[in-house]
Amino acid sequence: MQRRYDIDALRALAFVLLILYHCAMLYVADWGWHLKSSHLSEPLQIPMLFVNRWRMDLIFLISGLSVHFLLRGTSLGRFVVQRSWRLLLPLTFGCLVIVPIQPYAQGVANGLVEPGFVDFLLRYYQFQPWPKGAFDGWEYGFTWNHLWYLAYLWVYTIVFAALLPLFRNGLGRRLLALFTGLRGWKLLILPALPLAAYTMTLAPLFDETGDLIHDWYRHAMYFTVFLYGYWIGNDAGLWAELTRLRKWSLSLALGLFGFYLSLVLLIPEEIPDWLQNSVWLLRNLYVWFALTAILGWGHALLNRPFRWLPWATEAVYPWYVLHQSLIVLIAYWILPLHFGPIGEPAIVLCGTVAGCFVLHEIIRRLPLLRPVFGLKGKRSGTARGGAERAATDAAGAVVVVTRPAAADIA
């Protein structure tokens, strides 16, 4: 089977965008985050809103695509064990070792945590509630912050595995045939309707908490796009249609975002239900237009063996685990120094990239650190050398390579 380079590339680019997005959260006005700079920007809200509506949907969709490939040629039990190991070990390690600098910096900035990181850790590892508002997750005594994605993805993987026999029976196969048979306007419209229905019915009832237990609106959204990714899989006809429609989907996404943004900026906060539901329908149509445009353009432009791709595919997981803690740590150090509206974000971004790069280069060389950052065990030089061999890559597609398959996060 031909390796799907475009899926690897889209995964890497999606997480690059995530790093940029989290750096920008320091500076976007009126949006809460763990730390905030004094150099806030209201215009920054527009590109942030443009990305915000679909960024995590894209990541969960790519996760579903990966599951489609990973299930090929392996038993369901082995799949569950492997995914649990690759998700829960980095989640646990990250929560205990990588993330704590974030609540510490936020708590000190809020004046509710005393300076002194060692004393903070001794208190933090007791997993007892903190003063109200000390940091995000104070009521639980700890936080997973940006690593929530790993917890959600593991739960969706387990639920999906439990439902897989249903997806493989007669009804499941008919649903798959209906989805992969979508063409033209049906492909651009129909998958967005369940997402709009969730927003209209669940969003008013469930805040986007990030606590896993009470986050039912996001569960409905993310599990659905996760399932869409699994259904899309490697269906040649559907990928050809996504590629054929890419100009339409991009034009519709850009045009609809402009209209949606106008409504968001112009209409008052209190509006009739029918108007609110109309805005939500436009929002979810925009999300699906954007996703189909990204998939179509990605397949057209990125399905080739870029030289940077093997390194980037391996780097995704460690960079994801590390990046937000580095952003918060660097910001905690430099915000009081007032470097200015250009120098400060440049230092945060460059410092985060440099830190991720250096730490990844260390992690990938140390066998004990590789699994806790989601990387597969390092193979021997003999196994890496010699004749080419068939291997399964991060997305699960078979490819002839001369090096170990890269690690996956999705």
Side-chain angles (χ1 to χ4, degrees):
M1 181 184 296
Q2 175 65 39
R3 179 168 184 161
R4 290 298 305 274
Y5 299 104
D6 54 324
I7 297 173
D8 286 343
L10 284 176
R11 179 191 298 107
L13 294 174
F15 282 95
V16 168
L17 183 62
L18 184 68
I19 294 173
L20 295 173
Y21 182 89
H22 285 155
C23 285
M25 284 297 293
L26 281 167
Y27 302 100
V28 61
D30 301 326
W31 292 23
W33 206 55
H34 312 295
L35 293 179
K36 298 297 288 189
S37 170
S38 59
H39 306 293
L40 299 179
S41 170
E42 290 188 1
L44 186 57
Q45 292 180 17
I46 295 176
M48 291 289 281
L49 188 63
F50 178 82
V51 171
N52 174 269
R53 292 295 177 246
W54 49 259
R55 64 185 182 90
M56 290 308 304
D57 299 87
L58 174 63
I59 289 174
F60 278 107
L61 188 144
I62 293 173
S63 300
L65 280 167
S66 298
V67 165
H68 172 91
F69 291 110
L70 289 166
L71 277 170
R72 300 171 71 98
T74 188
S75 67
L76 183 59
R78 181 177 176 82
F79 165 76
V80 170
V81 170
Q82 288 178 338
R83 297 302 286 164
S84 296
W85 173 259
R86 298 288 297 282
L87 294 172
L88 295 183
L89 180 61
L91 174 62
T92 303
F93 178 82
C95 287
L96 294 177
V97 179
I98 306 300
V99 169
I101 189 60
Q102 299 181 46
Y104 170 74
Q106 185 178 3
V108 172
N110 290 340
L112 296 171
V113 170
E114 292 294 325
F117 189 54
V118 173
D119 291 338
F120 169 81
L121 288 179
L122 293 175
R123 166 75 168 83
Y124 186 76
Y125 290 143
Q126 297 176 29
F127 304 108
Q128 298 295 322
W130 289 76
K132 184 176 181 180
F135 54 83
D136 296 346
W138 62 268
E139 61 269 44
Y140 307 108
F142 79 102
T143 180
W144 50 41
N145 277 4
H146 67 295
L147 299 184
W148 66 269
Y149 162 70
L150 299 180
Y152 281 48
L153 181 56
W154 180 77
V155 170
Y156 298 164
T157 300
I158 298 302
V159 172
F160 174 82
L163 296 176
L164 190 58
L166 298 178
F167 293 140
R168 288 175 169 172
N169 69 12
L171 177 60
R173 288 195 296 269
R174 286 194 291 273
L175 288 174
L176 173 62
L178 286 173
F179 187 87
T180 56
L182 295 174
R183 297 293 185 267
W185 68 268
K186 293 180 181 179
L187 180 57
L188 295 179
I189 299 295
L190 296 184
L193 299 184
L195 307 181
Y198 301 147
T199 306
M200 295 175 190
T201 57
L202 297 178
L205 301 177
F206 299 100
D207 293 333
E208 299 183 25
T209 60
D211 68 358
L212 186 65
I213 304 300
H214 306 98
D215 211 4
W216 291 105
Y217 166 54
R218 292 205 300 180
H219 287 325
M221 296 288 287
Y222 293 153
F223 186 74
T224 297
V225 294
F226 175 89
L227 184 58
Y228 286 172
Y230 172 75
W231 280 343
I232 291 170
N234 202 37
D235 187 275
L238 191 56
W239 280 102
E241 186 68 357
L242 288 166
T243 305
R244 185 182 73 83
L245 294 173
R246 68 189 187 279
K247 294 181 181 179
W248 276 103
S249 55
L250 179 59
S251 298
L252 289 169
L254 294 175
L256 191 55
F257 176 75
F259 183 57
Y260 168 73
L261 180 63
S262 299
L263 293 178
V264 170
L265 295 176
L266 295 176
I267 62 177
E269 291 187 10
E270 298 295 330
I271 57 176
D273 289 343
W274 68 268
L275 182 54
Q276 180 64 77
N277 287 335
S278 299
V279 173
W280 280 338
L281 174 61
L282 294 177
R283 168 174 147 179
N284 285 282
L285 285 171
Y286 162 65
V287 168
W288 185 245
F289 290 159
L291 294 178
T292 54
I294 291 168
L295 293 179
W297 282 101
H299 193 55
L301 301 177
L302 299 176
N303 197 19
R304 62 192 68 182
F306 297 101
R307 294 185 63 182
W308 52 266
L309 191 53
W311 177 88
T313 304
E314 183 194 57
V316 164
Y317 212 149
W319 282 53
Y320 162 70
V321 172
L322 292 166
H323 80 277
Q324 186 163 294
S325 289
L326 286 171
I327 292 171
V328 172
L329 176 61
I330 295 169
Y332 176 72
W333 283 339
I334 73 167
L335 291 185
L337 302 179
H338 305 291
F339 280 103
I342 296 177
E344 183 183 289
I347 293 172
V348 171
L349 178 59
C350 293
T352 300
V353 171
C356 286
F357 180 85
V358 170
L359 291 172
H360 168 230
E361 290 301 311
I362 296 172
I363 291 163
R364 67 196 296 260
R365 289 167 169 80
L366 298 179
L368 289 178
L369 288 182
R370 289 181 65 89
V372 298
F373 284 93
L375 302 183
K376 295 179 181 178
K378 197 173 182 67
R379 302 193 184 188
S380 66
T382 302
R384 290 196 303 270
E388 293 182 339
R389 55 183 174 77
T392 302
D393 73 344
V398 174
V399 57
V400 176
V401 295
T402 56
R403 62 176 64 193
D408 64 293
I409 185 172

